[in-house]
Amino acid sequence: MARAPWPTAWWSSRRALLGLALLGFVHASLAQASAEHGGELLLPPDGVVAGWSVGEAQPSLASLRSRPSGEKTSVHVNAAGDFDWMSELSLRGAGSEAFALSGWLYLEQASETRFLLEGDGLFELRVDGRGVYQRQLALPRARGVELVERSLSPGWHAVELLYERRGPKASFAAHVVDVATGRAPQRARWAIAGFNPMGAAASTLVTSELRLLTDQGIPKLRLQVQAPAGVTDPNAELVVRVVGATGSSELRPGPLHLNAEQRLEVALELAPLGAWLGPELQRLELHLEIAGTKRRHSVLLSQPLLQLLTQLAQARAAETTAAQGPRAALGPSLTWLETRIARAAVTGQKEQLRALQLELTSWLKALEEKRLPYQRPGVHELALLSPFDGRPAPMLVHVPANYQVGAPLDVPTVALLHGYDGYPRRILEAFLDGPAKDADPRVPGLLVAPAAHGNAFYRGAGEQSVLAALDWAALTYGAPASRVAITGVSMGGTGTAELAFHSPERFAAAAPLCGYHSYFVRRDVQGRPLLPYERALMHRASTVSWAESGRHLPLFVAHGTKDMPLANSRVLTERYAELGYSLEQDWPELGHAVWKKTYANAGLFPWLSRQRRPSAPTRVTLASSALRYARSFWVEITRIEPVGTMAKADLRITSPGRAEGKLSGVGGLKLASTEGFSVAQQRTLVLNGETLEFQPNEPIDLLLEGSKFRRRQPGQVESRLPGLEGPIAELWNAPHVFVYGTGRPETRFANRDVALRMAAPRPGVELQIPVLADVEFDPASDPRRPIYVGIPSDHCWLAAIAARLPIRVNAQSLEVGDKPLSGNELGAFFVYPDPTRPQRLLGVLTAPTVAGLYRALSLPALLPDYVVYDRHVLPAQGQQVLGAGASIVMGGFFDQRWQLTAQ
């Protein structure tokens, strides 16, 4: 081979040396930057910022901007990147404080970078010393997210966030993603001044959770670990230690490996460890060490408990999830019992674990004897399968002492609704005014206390959970339907009135204690301008607006005179008194906990037990703004006109075969056969002064045409039906699923993120709404209501029906009907019949841009059938209504045929 001329060879060698020198310089620069910037973390795939350096607090952003340099800082890190500064910085009260959050972002290559910022109060983002975004409104965090896009070059970038909290909350989270992929920029790093990746602060970035479960009938311990890259080594060591009364033994499974997502999951079968355990509960310890970060977990176990858990798993596996009737609670209750045992074992609650072990022993004995464990007197902690998330929905049931399997149980049933952050046992013990262990001789009745998905406010899944529990209890114990009463406290007091007025034919009496019965009393809506649809929706959400339906529903209302404002209950008692309905009320000189007096010595039960629901009342009054709740006894409203308003019907049987009534807002009416107005006889019906005659066996099914009621003709069907109607909140009244589009890389992860945020439950709500990719969902076979998130170009199912929807997305605009709309952060959210399955409701959240999708998270709670919004909706974030500072592009209710109306 010929050699290159000397100058060429010289240049090649010199070029190689220069390249090595430059490479060395780059590494040296990075090392210097790392030393200057602090410890580094690789950004995880979702780009969450897991740590900040925080400066000393200042009174406001203005004072923070002019702060002296060299102030002291502290380092705060956690794996979730979700910082509650009230606890992190030991803030107090509801004042105003500002502080600077800072870090360094390293990009390996140029990136169109998107910052996702969410937090309470005010904040200002600076990148490389320049302000790039400022939120000037002190908003609650709610679900809202601010998007800031910035073109950034390779290398290190100083990121500073000036943050001011106003009020009792201060929380913040940030993500850094690439616009083109929606994921963290490739190999991007985050550095925090003063942070040592191997130090004590780094340990908060490693999270671990221990669970006790049974898998295919085998009890196991499952340890899950999450650790961000850059903090931990790829290997971990786990030591299992059994600590007994006389000593301890160890088991070392060997080195463990984190996967590509820095996750570790270890499942240990407990059977081999059983030989180490004795007959009494003792502690089993797990010691985990990852790169100097140590975690310790423990679980209480015994040899008998292991055997019982194995038997429980086998009994649960033998039960089908499709079981009906009394057995419908068996499988979910066994699962719930296992969950409670596992929780008590992992949290070290020895006495509770012993009690649960006795309960499990009793259950297994009953099953061995072919008996249902809960078909006997006493207090039983049970569960039904929730159709909303497929998990057990817990409840407590008090079965009276005189119950015998197969014999009619002629006692009252009382539904007990807990308050905010409450749970079934607490409300049952409050109602009994004592421990809830055995059948209480003072209360010869069936008591049902559902958890109702926690803080779900007895709406949607919460309401359905209560009704399902009552239906199951009536079927299982044979209690009469005419003696079902309902009572609750605080949130449960509101739910009591709401459920009773929604279904007045189900309840014999209602006792709402210290509830909230009018949205017009709420402090966060008073004095605010209201759109017509917002006023209608506030009536829909206010129990007092439905009070006319309670003609045959005696009320007992209690509210402490120190529990302000008294109007929360006054509006209901005054309305009931105005209507002349049966009302008893008590206003003791107490605060919010009025139930301590009302329920003292089980004192409310006698009043509730005396009430009987009439089977065929001669007069029925019904008020409803939803077809779902537009039926009472023999009266049903089949069309509400105009859509969204409160329809009212008051009908009375004045003589055999003759009924008279007054209607308002009623566009369709159906009357069932009842005593005194039987379908077998000729009937005369007078509505608003108009007389109609009906022959024997002729159904009464009427539609309003102009100002006259006419018989519904064959083939005349309604486009809106119970469960097939708006507003948007109706979506939550049946099992539903969020389905996000995956067709485009640049929007896929944003669609998923928005769907997850929309599906995320409020604090204390025990509900996990499914979120699926469009390729995982089959609209033809899945019965759940889909809420599609995305745009037709990236969502296969949305693309299939886009042409048949009233609101469509173009390249940079929305088309509403035949009207094109454009704007900054434009988007739309609406409810509509599914074109592929017209009897199913569908939700659509769509926008021309990712920013428009995220802006939907700032929408207020009360929404009509459809809303088109843009950046101007921002001030409504976390509110009930838009208020004075926020606006939408357009919105309202579709008409009866689901057509757009000018509003």
Side-chain angles (χ1 to χ4, degrees):
M1 178 182 293
R3 299 184 62 179
W6 179 83
T8 305
W10 179 89
W11 171 243
S12 298
S13 61
R14 296 304 186 273
R15 185 170 55 182
L17 291 172
L18 180 60
L20 290 173
L22 287 173
L23 185 61
F25 174 76
V26 169
H27 279 290
S29 299
L30 290 178
Q32 182 180 0
S34 178
E36 291 176 356
H37 302 150
E40 297 177 29
L41 303 171
L42 282 175
L43 285 180
D46 62 355
V48 67
V49 177
W52 296 92
S53 178
V54 182
E56 289 183 339
Q58 300 292 326
S60 66
L61 281 181
S63 58
L64 192 64
R65 293 187 185 103
S66 60
R67 69 191 186 280
S69 60
E71 63 182 11
K72 296 178 181 178
T73 60
S74 56
V75 174
H76 299 265
V77 293
N78 70 49
D82 195 350
F83 294 89
D84 178 1
W85 299 115
M86 298 299 291
S87 58
E88 292 274 353
L89 303 178
S90 300
L91 303 180
R92 297 288 184 269
S96 172
E97 288 165 291
F99 36 90
L101 316 176
S102 60
W104 293 83
L105 173 65
Y106 177 77
L107 299 176
E108 195 169 82
Q109 56 190 14
S111 170
E112 290 294 323
T113 305
R114 177 181 293 142
F115 293 86
L116 281 72
L117 312 174
E118 51 180 312
D120 304 285
L122 306 172
F123 43 85
E124 176 182 330
L125 178 65
R126 295 179 178 181
V127 179
D128 296 328
R130 298 177 60 184
V132 296
Y133 175 78
Q134 186 178 81
R135 189 168 84 179
Q136 299 176 339
L137 295 171
L139 301 175
R141 180 174 175 181
R143 290 175 171 149
V145 176
E146 303 299 310
L147 270 63
V148 184
E149 295 185 358
R150 190 78 173 169
S151 297
L152 297 180
S153 60
W156 287 100
H157 298 274
V159 179
E160 186 175 38
L161 194 112
L162 307 185
Y163 180 88
E164 179 182 337
R165 67 110 175 185
R166 290 186 180 177
K169 294 183 179 180
S171 67
F172 190 83
H175 294 246
V176 180
V177 299
D178 184 84
V179 171
T181 65
R183 308 295 274 171
Q186 191 172 11
R187 289 184 290 276
R189 302 203 295 274
W190 181 259
I192 312 158
F195 172 59
N196 177 5
M198 303 299 290
S203 66
T204 61
L205 290 164
V206 180
T207 61
S208 58
E209 179 186 19
L210 181 68
R211 293 180 59 202
L212 172 62
L213 49 83
T214 54
D215 182 12
Q216 298 181 347
I218 301 173
K220 294 181 180 179
L221 286 173
R222 178 170 294 169
L223 180 66
Q224 293 176 309
V225 180
Q226 177 70 59
V231 173
T232 65
D233 290 336
N235 298 322
E237 185 180 25
L238 178 66
V239 177
V240 181
R241 180 178 297 121
V242 178
V243 180
T246 59
S248 64
S249 301
E250 287 189 355
L251 173 66
R252 294 179 178 268
L256 306 170
H257 300 278
L258 295 163
N259 63 19
E261 295 183 350
Q262 292 296 113
R263 295 176 185 269
L264 167 68
E265 185 169 298
V266 183
L268 294 175
E269 291 190 15
L270 289 172
L273 308 180
W276 297 0
L277 298 173
E280 298 297 325
L281 291 171
Q282 59 190 97
R283 194 171 302 278
L284 187 71
E285 294 182 349
L286 281 79
H287 296 255
L288 174 72
E289 184 170 345
I290 299 180
T293 299
K294 296 182 179 181
R295 287 282 182 270
R296 191 184 99 175
H297 294 277
S298 65
V299 58
L300 287 173
L301 285 172
S302 67
Q303 183 65 253
L305 181 57
L306 278 182
Q307 295 172 354
L308 288 172
L309 286 171
T310 302
Q311 295 174 45
L312 185 154
Q314 294 169 350
R316 190 184 62 184
E319 281 302 306
T320 171
T321 56
Q324 301 294 315
R327 294 191 74 89
L330 183 55
S333 297
L334 288 169
T335 300
W336 180 237
L337 178 55
E338 181 186 77
T339 300
R340 290 185 289 142
I341 289 173
R343 186 181 302 161
V346 171
T347 55
Q349 301 176 55
K350 183 174 287 188
E351 294 305 314
Q352 183 178 358
L353 192 56
R354 285 172 175 157
L356 289 169
Q357 188 169 337
L358 291 174
E359 182 179 346
L360 175 55
T361 302
S362 174
W363 273 60
L364 293 173
K365 181 180 179 181
L367 293 176
E368 185 179 355
E369 297 172 353
K370 307 299 182 183
R371 296 184 292 107
L372 289 177
Y374 40 80
Q375 282 193 315
R376 58 180 176 81
V379 175
H380 309 287
E381 189 155 356
L382 309 175
L384 292 171
L385 195 67
S386 170
F388 285 82
D389 61 5
R391 299 192 305 165
M395 61 179 173
L396 240 62
V397 178
H398 170 278
V399 182
N402 62 339
Y403 171 73
Q404 294 181 359
V405 178
L409 185 63
D410 189 17
V411 299
T413 300
V414 181
L416 306 176
L417 307 188
H418 62 78
Y420 193 84
D421 284 343
Y423 46 87
R425 185 165 297 278
R426 180 180 293 178
I427 186 63
L428 180 58
E429 291 183 343
F431 185 78
L432 296 175
D433 193 21
K437 294 182 179 180
D438 302 313
D440 194 317
R442 300 169 302 171
V443 182
L446 185 64
L447 307 180
V448 181
H453 297 285
N455 293 341
F457 282 88
Y458 303 102
R459 293 174 180 149
E463 180 181 55
Q464 300 306 312
S465 179
V466 175
L467 298 179
L470 287 174
D471 288 343
W472 175 85
L475 185 63
T476 300
Y477 300 105
S482 62
R483 301 185 68 185
V484 180
I486 186 170
T487 182
V489 302
S490 192
M491 178 186 80
T494 308
T496 291
E498 192 159 23
L499 265 72
F501 295 150
H502 281 174
S503 305
E505 77 286 356
R506 290 187 66 125
F507 297 102
L513 310 187
C514 53
Y516 314 93
H517 301 293
S518 174
Y519 263 57
F520 296 92
V521 177
R522 290 179 64 117
R523 295 172 184 171
D524 55 359
V525 300
Q526 286 185 341
R528 298 191 176 197
L530 298 174
L531 295 175
Y533 77 72
E534 289 179 323
R535 188 171 294 277
L537 291 170
M538 285 174 62
H539 277 296
R540 182 187 181 95
S542 301
T543 61
V544 66
S545 299
W546 301 65
E548 285 172 80
S549 295
R551 176 172 295 280
H552 305 289
L553 185 74
L555 278 192
F556 186 106
V557 180
H559 195 108
T561 57
K562 298 179 181 179
D563 186 9
M564 301 297 179
L566 299 181
N568 279 328
S569 288
R570 287 275 190 221
V571 291
L572 183 56
T573 57
E574 289 173 358
R575 181 60 176 148
Y576 239 57
E578 180 184 2
L579 292 166
Y581 292 176
S582 176
L583 171 68
E584 293 195 27
Q585 50 187 313
D586 187 23
W587 297 84
E589 192 175 349
L590 294 172
H592 192 54
V594 69
W595 57 86
K596 293 184 178 179
K597 176 179 183 294
T598 307
Y599 291 162
N601 198 31
L604 188 61
F605 181 77
W607 181 84
L608 291 171
S609 66
R610 288 195 300 269
Q611 313 306 321
R612 299 287 194 283
R613 175 181 59 79
S615 59
T618 57
R619 185 177 183 183
V620 174
T621 304
L622 178 60
S624 178
S625 62
L627 296 172
R628 173 183 287 273
Y629 308 116
R631 182 174 182 175
S632 180
F633 298 100
W634 45 275
V635 177
E636 181 181 1
I637 297 171
T638 58
R639 180 186 291 180
I640 297 173
E641 189 69 61
V643 173
T645 58
M646 185 67 68
K648 297 181 181 181
D650 183 14
L651 290 101
R652 182 203 311 255
I653 300 173
T654 56
S655 62
R658 181 182 178 87
E660 300 179 5
K662 294 183 178 180
L663 310 177
S664 65
V666 177
L669 181 71
K670 184 184 292 185
L671 301 184
S673 180
T674 186
E675 184 178 342
F677 201 65
S678 170
V679 70
Q681 64 185 148
Q682 184 169 334
R683 288 151 295 157
T684 299
L685 178 63
V686 182
L687 296 176
N688 294 346
E690 177 188 0
T691 301
L692 299 98
E693 300 290 343
F694 296 87
Q695 299 302 313
N697 299 318
E698 182 183 3
I700 299 180
D701 190 356
L702 306 173
L703 291 176
L704 185 65
E705 296 180 0
S707 60
K708 302 291 185 180
F709 279 95
R710 298 289 181 263
R711 290 164 174 79
R712 186 189 298 271
Q713 298 302 311
Q716 277 188 286
V717 295
E718 295 288 345
S719 298
R720 289 177 177 261
L721 298 167
L724 189 69
E725 55 183 327
I728 289 172
E730 168 60 29
L731 287 167
W732 326 136
N733 282 330
H736 53 281
V737 55
F738 284 85
V739 182
Y740 63 92
T742 61
R744 294 165 55 193
E746 63 269 29
T747 57
R748 178 187 308 145
F749 295 107
N751 291 342
R752 179 178 181 270
D753 190 28
V754 172
L756 286 169
R757 292 174 186 272
M758 292 288 287
R762 295 186 304 270
V765 175
E766 298 168 358
L767 188 63
Q768 293 181 358
I769 298 301
V771 176
L772 300 177
D774 52 359
V775 294
E776 299 173 318
F777 180 74
D778 182 1
S781 60
D782 197 320
R784 295 172 294 186
R785 294 172 171 175
I787 298 108
Y788 292 151
V789 179
I791 58 179
S793 63
D794 67 15
H795 198 298
C796 62
W797 300 119
L798 197 50
I801 61 173
R804 291 181 281 175
L805 296 177
I807 301 175
R808 297 169 294 280
V809 177
N810 294 323
Q812 291 296 321
S813 65
L814 288 176
E815 189 175 326
V816 183
D818 57 358
K819 182 179 180 180
L821 297 172
S822 59
N824 185 14
E825 300 183 1
L826 189 69
F829 192 16
F830 59 95
V831 62
Y832 199 73
D834 188 345
T836 64
R837 295 177 64 175
Q839 299 305 307
R840 177 174 67 183
L841 207 58
L842 168 77
V844 175
L845 174 56
T846 189
T849 65
V850 166
L853 281 179
Y854 274 102
R855 185 50 56 211
L857 302 174
S858 295
L859 286 167
L862 297 180
L863 298 174
D865 290 357
Y866 73 94
V867 59
V868 180
Y869 58 86
D870 61 11
R871 175 73 180 178
H872 294 97
V873 79
L874 174 62
Q877 182 172 299
Q879 303 300 311
Q880 297 297 315
V881 296
L882 288 167
S887 64
I888 58 171
V889 178
M890 63 186 302
F893 299 102
F894 295 113
D895 68 12
Q896 293 291 349
R897 296 182 178 274
W898 293 97
Q899 301 297 309
L900 284 162
T901 57
Q903 299 186 44

